[in-house]
Amino acid sequence: MKVFVQEDGLVFGQKNKFSLYKSLRFERFIVNWLSLSNLIDSMRKLGLYLYLTWAVFWGALVFVLMYPLILICIQRPGWHRFYHGLSKVWAWTFYRLALLRVRSRWEFKPERGQVYVFCSNHFSYLDIPLLTLAVPSFTVFVGLHDLNRIPLFGYMFRKIHIPIDRSSPRSRYLTYQRAKDALAAGKSVAIFPEGGIWATDFPHMAPFKDGAFRMAIEQGVSIVPVTIPHNWRMMPLMNLNKFKRVRSEVIFHQPIPTKGLRLEDVPRLKAQVFEVIDQQLQQYFPEAYVYE
């Protein structure tokens, strides 16, 4: 090798210089590719923020426009059935304007006038409007007291539904009594037995609490296990990078009767409902259960 080139204090032959040239071209290609990838990612995030802003805007606007009627309907118990119709209209409108597909599947035909305790997994804030849309009968929700702080919505929630502060024994007791009263009055109750969105490894559920099962046994009301498989993918908590717009689906499983059961049966009943929902989630996400 007869020709040498001095660069930055190092000596290279022609072959080494050619290799360096190819290396620099490859590095420039990588830099350009990463820049394009970052641009695409930024555009995707911008589109996601615009879409979420669109969905929240229309959901809030429709709610505000309907609020005067809702305010009237929640003042007297006899008018609550009209509120139920309005809430379903709001949920239907929200899902349509948010361009979200909805599918509900019933493994049984709900009896007209029959009262149930609906127990669902809870992975997303979309779960409540989905159940509002899917459940045909008037249903009272048990939800965290933080919902009381939402302007306008909080007042409506306190009047119709049942807020709970799990840090307060008194609040837990009053919530339990109000839910029992609702069942006794012929209203179904929807409750998330995980106690909120406490799961950290979706689609694995957090452990169930006893309240829903004690209440169902004491009132002799059948429990309907409910699986909501996909909502956590559309509204992941604090991680928009995992957002995916998929079909919002809910499955209502066969009711589990509680007549004849005693409070000693709460652990068995709780495990049975957990197993029904967990088995359905495994069918949707088998890869998440491979290591088990």
Side-chain angles (χ1 to χ4, degrees):
M1 190 175 296
K2 298 181 180 180
V3 180
F4 294 87
V5 178
Q6 184 79 23
E7 293 186 12
D8 296 330
L10 299 177
V11 178
F12 298 94
Q14 287 181 335
K15 291 184 178 180
N16 289 336
K17 182 180 179 182
F18 181 69
S19 298
L20 177 62
Y21 174 71
K22 290 197 300 181
S23 177
L24 291 174
R25 286 190 62 186
F26 179 74
E27 289 179 3
R28 281 195 293 269
F29 170 78
I30 293 297
V31 170
N32 291 336
W33 183 84
L34 290 176
S35 299
L36 179 61
S37 178
N38 290 335
L39 176 62
I40 294 174
D41 186 60
S42 298
M43 294 298 293
R44 176 185 173 276
K45 288 182 178 179
L46 176 61
L48 174 59
Y49 282 115
L50 290 175
Y51 168 74
L52 292 178
T53 301
W54 164 275
V56 172
F57 170 77
W58 282 109
L61 178 62
V62 173
F63 176 77
V64 170
L65 293 176
M66 296 178 64
Y67 195 75
L69 291 175
I70 292 174
L71 192 62
I72 294 173
C73 294
I74 64 178
Q75 298 306 316
R76 294 185 179 180
W79 298 347
H80 287 180
R81 65 181 185 276
F82 301 114
Y83 158 80
H84 171 64
L86 290 172
S87 65
K88 292 182 77 67
V89 170
W90 171 81
W92 184 89
T93 306
F94 166 74
Y95 270 96
R96 291 301 182 273
L97 291 175
L99 307 177
L100 296 174
R101 296 173 298 165
V102 177
R103 179 189 178 191
S104 60
R105 175 160 59 91
W106 292 78
E107 296 181 353
F108 70 102
K109 184 177 181 180
E111 299 179 23
R112 186 176 182 87
Q114 181 65 44
V115 175
Y116 299 101
V117 174
F118 295 98
C119 287
S120 170
N121 62 298
H122 192 24
F123 295 159
S124 169
Y125 294 125
L126 290 173
D127 296 341
I128 291 179
L130 176 60
L131 290 176
T132 299
L133 182 60
V135 177
S137 59
F138 181 74
T139 302
V140 174
F141 284 87
V142 176
L144 292 179
H145 73 292
D146 294 343
L147 296 173
N148 292 338
R149 303 173 184 172
I150 302 176
L152 302 181
F153 181 87
Y155 175 74
M156 178 209 71
F157 192 83
R158 289 193 303 272
K159 293 286 287 186
I160 296 291
H161 303 290
I162 307 173
I164 179 173
D165 180 0
R166 293 198 175 275
S167 65
S168 168
R170 182 174 183 275
S171 176
R172 293 199 300 268
Y173 172 78
L174 292 176
T175 296
Y176 186 76
Q177 293 302 317
R178 287 188 62 188
K180 287 175 58 178
D181 293 342
L183 291 173
K187 299 176 182 177
S188 294
V189 172
I191 188 169
F192 303 107
E194 294 169 272
I197 307 178
W198 299 116
T200 57
D201 185 21
F202 304 132
H204 296 269
M205 293 181 289
F208 283 0
K209 302 184 183 301
D210 292 347
F213 310 98
R214 292 176 59 91
M215 176 178 61
I217 289 176
E218 290 183 351
Q219 297 298 311
V221 175
S222 297
I223 290 182
V224 177
V226 181
T227 303
I228 302 177
H230 296 301
N231 278 359
W232 64 276
R233 302 171 68 193
M234 287 190 290
M235 188 173 278
L237 294 178
M238 307 306 291
N239 193 349
L240 294 180
N241 290 326
K242 295 183 178 181
F243 175 91
K244 292 183 179 180
R245 198 160 64 87
V246 295
R247 174 180 288 173
S248 194
E249 187 171 1
V250 56
I251 302 99
F252 297 89
H253 302 281
Q254 287 286 344
I256 300 175
T258 63
K259 290 184 178 179
L261 298 182
R262 298 180 297 178
L263 293 181
E264 292 80 3
D265 298 311
V266 165
R268 180 178 62 83
L269 180 61
K270 180 171 64 173
Q272 184 179 0
V273 174
F274 187 97
E275 182 68 15
V276 170
I277 300 174
D278 192 57
Q279 287 293 327
Q280 186 70 67
L281 290 172
Q282 289 188 42
Q283 292 182 25
Y284 278 91
F285 308 102
E287 68 283 354
Y289 293 82
V290 170
Y291 61 87
E292 295 185 352

